[in-house]
């Protein structure tokens, strides 16, 4: 086969090597516009795993790469005058130039023809080759030539960066430096890549970049300005650029590249031309080189080029998407870093280390148990005002809100049971809530409990509007208080246009087959074409609803509830006022966000006035309608939360969606937690996070990174009422109160877990 590879970066060169290794009779040419010793960028980081893959593919070049590596273990973070250092991260770095030289030499020794200083302009020049590989990087011309087939999606990210080098030693740690200037924050990613040189990437927001005046400076002036800003860390050493042979500014915006397809006829994309991963996760070179192995493998194993391309794409796309996901989290963390710049250095460091969500609490424990124990102690001291000799998992650190002390941070999220009779909770509810309270969570929420018969979602929903509702709830709350140390919260709501529908396990959100009742809403907008059109609420209706909420709150207090939550999420009545998707009013309750919040705030204030001062109120909101700019977006949720907090709300319970049938939610592990993070850190309010959080590790990471103050788990508590007790046993945390009659069960569980650990060698 005659193959031409356009682009002699790590991807292109490594593919040439891999192809030749599989069949030396292939005629392989690499076309590179630069000279062999001319490249942009400084050092790159490769992991031990990647090196293992390279070793298996070509032990010769892997050995040369390994011998050129510098290793370091720590991550150091300079922030607000503090230096935080954690270990166990295990990096190895190599100069990009050195890597290319090793690959060039290896390719040449295998008989690859390297054509340097040759610009690939037109694919037609290469029509006599059987295979054309587009390994020409992020601005690929090959990709552009077949854009109609590859369908690239290029997302130019917000921050500005420049890739510099320095003789200053950063040989003990991968170092992040966050520096505040009069123009805004700038930060550097610095790491050693050979005995004498370190990479020094400077990054900042576009606004800061303009404020500093980088937009009008020459490269030399910009480097000088960076040297001044980072002088305390450079020890008199200069910053250096090797981008002088490149056209244009040395400042770039990172482009995230995705392509719908990676091949067109005999042309195939490889490395950055097909997909990029942000440099803050240091994986672009790894992706390019591992893709090179896969492509060479399949060209060798498959009977046709088309089949080889299909298998190559199948295998690599998954890995690329996984990495791009982590890279996106990491990119966004740096883009939004100003949000975190009020955090204590310990929490800031933790948030930085876990930014991509690839590293969790327990990963950090494995890497550096001492550092993590210190961070856990810091968390506890901050929450309780007392220092502790022994670290405990963040999920077991108490939280005080007003006069209520929660023993831990785990919350049983509100979950409708559809087992009420005329609004009254039954024995089902007694057993259900009693079990969850015995299961160890600090706070147990009731399901949405409706403030009137009309405000019920279904005929099976609980209410708080009749005397027998109050007494039935009181029986449950009394039991929980007498037999456990969990606190009980009631969630009060009104269904609005989503009322008069079937039970949860029947047809979701569909009207009843018979016996429907009238529903009301801010505007006559039905939930769907199948639902009844609600009656638009008059001011008198609003007075009645406000009164019902107040009345229900008074009953809830008498029933003994410790905590009250107003349900302003998921498309029910209050949420329907907040979102412009269902609030079409033209009076003072519709239009601007202030107008749409007017009635929900009025109800909250009226409830707060009767709810005892020492008991908290949280409000659950939908922080994203998942319909784009037509609905509530996460930035609007920050504004909504600020209004609620100004009115006196103690915590925001951050949910999302269920406000429109048009919603296109993006699900995933902890998928709503970023909204909680944003609200908490941009508006300084305490939050509850919820949504696909199911492991103790998730809970600890969320709390420790300051993404929420409490963590709600819904479905995990349906599967396991004792989720918290089991989580404690999993983490060898013995300070949780099991109900006395269950102590023998606790002891056996701990014994079994310890024995399993000994057997598996995990201690
Ligand atoms: C600031 C920064 C830091 C990074 N740090 C790391 C890291 O630590 N670890 C890591 O794994 N990755 C890192 N990366 C990513 C890494 O540099 C890329 O993902 C990797 O280089 C991709 O390899 P490639 O061969 O696909 O493309 P490239 O390395 O971009 O190579 C493409 C080659 O094609 C040549 N070329 C382009 N157009 C033409 C043309 N028309 N004719 C001839 N030749 C052409 C170019 O000159 C270049 O040599 C970083 C990236 C940046 C921007
Ligand atoms: C059966 C069921 C009923 C629910 N009922 C309510 C409810 O009454 N009020 C509410 O705010 N959320 C309700 N939710 C949403 C949950 O509180 C939670 O936000 C959602 O399930 C995501 O959390 P999870 O991934 O831990 O399940 C319900 C969820 C389930 C599964």
């Amino acid at each position: 086969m005659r193959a031409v590879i356009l682009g002699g970066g790590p991807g292109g060169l490594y593919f040439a090597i891999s192809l030749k290794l599989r069949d030396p009779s292939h005629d392989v040419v690499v076309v590179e516009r630069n000279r062999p010793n001319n490249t942009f960028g400084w050092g790159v980081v490769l992991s031990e795993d990647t090196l293992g893959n390279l070793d298996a593919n070509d032990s010769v070049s892997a050995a040369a790469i390994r011998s050129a590596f510098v290793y370091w273990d720590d991550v150091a973070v300079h922030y607000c005058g503090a230096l935080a250092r954690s270990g166990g991260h295990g990096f190895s770095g190599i100069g990009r130039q050195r890597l290319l030289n090793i690959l060039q030499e290896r390719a040449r020794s295998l008989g690859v023809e390297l054509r340097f200083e040759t610009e690939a302009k037109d694919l037609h020049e290469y029509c006599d080759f059987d295979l054309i590989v587009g390994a020409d990087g992020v601005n690929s011309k090959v990709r552009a030539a077949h854009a109609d087939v590859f369908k690239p999606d290029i997302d130019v990210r917000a921050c500005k960066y420049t890739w510099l080098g320095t003789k200053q030693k950063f040989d003990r740690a991968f170092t992040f430096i966050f520096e505040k200037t009069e123009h805004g924050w700038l930060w550097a990613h610095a790491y050693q890549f050979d005995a004498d040189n370190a990479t020094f990437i400077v990054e900042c927001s576009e606004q800061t970049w303009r404020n500093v005046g980088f937009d009008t400076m020459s490269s030399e002036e910009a480097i000088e300005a960076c040297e001044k800003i980072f002088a305390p860390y450079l020890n008199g050493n200069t910053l250096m650029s090797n981008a002088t042979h490149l056209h244009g500014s040395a400042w770039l915006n990172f482009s995230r590249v995705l392509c719908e397809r990676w091949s067109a006829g005999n042309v195939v994309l490889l490395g950055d031309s097909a997909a990029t991963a942000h440099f803050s996760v240091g994986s672009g070179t790894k992706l390019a080189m591992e893709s090179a192995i896969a492509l060479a493998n399949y060209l060798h194993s498959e009977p046709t080029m088309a089949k080889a391309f299909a298998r190559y794409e199948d295998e690599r796309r998954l890995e690329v998407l996984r990495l791009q996901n982590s890279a996106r989290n990491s990119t966004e963390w740096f883009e939004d870093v100003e949000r975190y710049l009020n955090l204590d250095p310990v929490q800031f460091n933790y948030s930085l280390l876990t930014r991509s969500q690839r590293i969790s609490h327990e990963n950090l424990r494995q890497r550096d148990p001492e550092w993590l124990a210190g961070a856990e102690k810091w968390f506890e001291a901050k929450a309780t005002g007392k220092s502790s000799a022994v670290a405990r998992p963040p999920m077991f650190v108490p939280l005080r809100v007003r006069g209520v002390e929660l023993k831990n941070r785990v919350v049983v999220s509100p979950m409708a049971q559809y087992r009420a009779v005329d609004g009254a909770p039954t024995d089902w509810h007694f057993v259900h809530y009693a079990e969850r309270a015995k299961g160890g969570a600090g706070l147990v929420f009731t399901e949405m409990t409706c403030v009137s018969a009309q405000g019920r979602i279904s005929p099976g929903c609980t209410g708080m509007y009749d005397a027998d509702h109050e007494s039935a709830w009181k029986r449950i709350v009394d039991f929980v208080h007498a037999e456990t140390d969990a606190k009980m919260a009631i969630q009060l709501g009104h269904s609005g246009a989503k009322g008069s529908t079937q039970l949860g396990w029947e047809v979701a959100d569909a009207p009843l087959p018979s016996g429907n009742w009238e529903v009301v809403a801010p505007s006559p907008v039905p939930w769907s074409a199948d639902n009844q059109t609600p009656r638009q609420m008059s001011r008198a209706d609003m007075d009645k609803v406000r009164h019902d909420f107040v009345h229900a709150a008074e009953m809830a207090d008498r029933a003994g509830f410790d905590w009250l939550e107003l349900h302003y999420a998921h498309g029910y009545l209050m949420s329907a006022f907040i979102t412009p998707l269902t609030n079409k009013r033209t009076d003072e309750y519709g239009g601007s966000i202030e107008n749409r919040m007017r009635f929900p705030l009025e109800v909250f204030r009226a409830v707060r006035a009767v709810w005892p001062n020492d008991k908290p109120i949280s409000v659950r909101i939908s922080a994203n309608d998942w319909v784009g700019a037509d609905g509530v977006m996460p930035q609007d949720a920050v504004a909504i939360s600020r209004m609620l907090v100004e009115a006196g709300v103690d915590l925001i319970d951050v949910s999302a969606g269920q406000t429109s049938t048009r919603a296109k939610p993006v699900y995933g592990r902890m998928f709503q937690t970023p909204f909680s993070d944003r609200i908490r850190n941009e508006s300084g309010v305490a939050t509850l996070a919820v949504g696909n959080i199911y492991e103790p590790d998730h809970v600890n990471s969320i709390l420790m990174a300051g993404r929420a103050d409490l963590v709600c788990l819904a479905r995990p508590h349906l599967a396991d009422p004792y989720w918290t007790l089991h989580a404690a046993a999993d983490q060898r945390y013995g300070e949780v109160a099991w109900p006395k009659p269950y102590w023998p069960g606790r002891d056996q569980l701990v014994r079994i877990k310890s024995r399993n650990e000994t057997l598996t060698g995990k201690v």
Side-chain angles (χ1 to χ4, degrees), residues 15 34 181 200 351 400 404 469 561 592 633 668 693 733:
F15 173 70
N34 289 333
T181 71
F200 200 91
S351 177
R400 188 169 193 86
V404 175
H469 301 167
F561 281 101
S592 68
M633 308 248 284
I693 300 165
Y733 181 69

Side-chain angles (χ1 to χ4, degrees), residues 362 393 395-396 407-408 410 435-442 694-697 699-700 713 715-739 742-754 757 762:
E362 291 312 312
M395 63 187 276
F396 294 111
K407 64 182 166 177
N408 63 45
V410 183
E435 278 305 283
R436 268 90 206 145
K438 285 193 287 176
Y694 48 86
E695 285 180 4
D697 212 15
V699 179
N700 287 329
L713 290 85
R715 290 164 297 169
H717 276 117
L718 292 182
D720 180 5
Y722 298 99
W723 189 91
T724 306
L725 296 182
H726 291 153
D730 285 341
Q731 295 171 83
R732 302 292 169 277
Y733 181 69
E735 305 299 309
V736 290
W738 280 64
Y742 298 171
W743 282 2
R746 172 198 64 188
D747 296 345
Q748 186 196 39
L749 182 67
V750 170
R751 240 186 351 263
I752 293 169
K753 288 197 183 284
S754 303
E757 252 180 22
K762 183 182 152 222

Side-chain angles (χ1 to χ4, degrees), residues 147-197:
D148 54 328
V149 182
F150 297 135
K151 297 205 172 69
D153 168 359
I154 299 173
D155 181 11
V156 178
R157 303 302 311 202
C159 286
K160 289 277 180 192
Y161 76 89
T162 183
W163 200 354
L164 304 174
T166 180
K167 298 280 178 201
Q168 168 61 23
K169 291 253 187 300
F170 289 98
D171 51 354
R172 291 191 45 219
F174 191 115
T175 304
F176 292 103
I177 304 167
F178 292 85
E179 214 30 37
K180 189 176 188 172
T181 71
E182 54 180 316
H183 305 298
W185 285 83
L186 291 97
W187 53 95
H189 315 233
Y191 53 92
Q192 204 69 27
F193 64 83
D194 66 26
D196 302 319
N197 297 291

Side-chain angles (χ1 to χ4, degrees), residues 511-660:
L512 300 169
S514 63
N516 285 291
W517 59 85
E518 183 193 46
V519 299
V520 292
S523 307
V525 178
W527 170 248
S528 78
D530 296 335
N531 292 73
Q532 56 173 305
T533 300
R535 179 167 62 75
Q536 169 157 328
M537 287 172 77
S538 64
R539 185 57 243 194
D541 291 319
M542 288 157 75
D543 288 344
K544 158 93 172 60
V545 166
R546 188 194 61 231
H547 171 268
D548 289 342
F549 268 96
V550 168
H551 187 226
E554 288 167 334
M555 294 169 89
D557 178 40
R558 287 197 299 270
F561 281 101
D562 306 290
W563 184 297
L564 189 150
E565 176 162 287
L566 296 176
H567 196 348
Y568 285 10
H570 301 171
Y572 299 116
L573 184 67
M574 292 298 160
S575 155
F577 269 94
I578 297 173
T579 170
L581 297 173
T582 44
N583 184 341
K584 304 290 179 195
R585 296 180 77 103
T586 51
D587 60 7
E588 69 266 43
Y589 301 102
S592 68
I593 197 164
E594 287 75 20
N595 281 1
R596 287 182 273 122
M597 285 299 289
R598 199 179 301 279
F599 184 57
L601 287 170
E602 177 186 323
V603 170
F604 165 72
R605 287 198 187 95
V607 167
R608 185 67 265 181
V610 299
W611 186 245
N613 203 33
D614 60 341
K615 294 188 186 182
I617 301 186
S618 54
V619 172
R620 178 169 272 205
I621 61 167
S622 284
N624 191 347
D625 286 334
W626 299 113
V627 299
D630 288 353
V632 169
M633 308 248 284
Q635 59 269 35
D636 305 319
V638 175
I640 291 165
S641 302
R642 285 203 177 114
M643 288 184 221
L644 290 166
V645 171
E646 264 166 34
V649 169
D650 297 304
L651 300 97
I652 307 295
D653 184 351
V654 187
S655 187
Q658 298 175 55
T659 50
S660 166

Side-chain angles (χ1 to χ4, degrees), residues 7-12 31-34 40 44-45 96 118-120 135-137 141 161 163 191 201 270-272 279 282-286 288:
V31 175
E32 166 59 48
R33 59 151 74 114
N34 289 333
F40 67 95
V44 292
V45 178
R96 180 176 157 93
T118 311
E119 176 82 26
D136 49 347
K141 281 192 179 148
Y161 76 89
W163 200 354
Y191 53 92
I201 302 167
L270 175 74
D272 273 10
F279 54 83
S283 296
T285 310
K286 162 203 161 72

Side-chain angles (χ1 to χ4, degrees), residues 320-364:
V320 164
L321 284 179
R322 203 171 319 129
L323 248 164
Q324 282 191 328
N325 222 6
S326 304
R328 192 199 53 232
N329 294 335
S330 180
T331 314
E332 287 175 357
W333 191 91
F334 282 104
E335 286 173 353
D336 297 330
V337 73
E338 307 214 358
R339 181 189 297 163
Y340 306 111
L341 292 166
N342 293 322
L343 294 179
D344 178 280
V346 177
Q347 196 156 43
F348 181 81
N349 191 14
Y350 186 99
S351 177
L352 170 63
L353 291 173
T354 55
R355 68 190 183 279
S356 72
Q357 295 193 8
R358 273 196 303 183
I359 297 179
S360 72
H361 199 71
E362 291 312 312
N363 294 147
L364 284 176

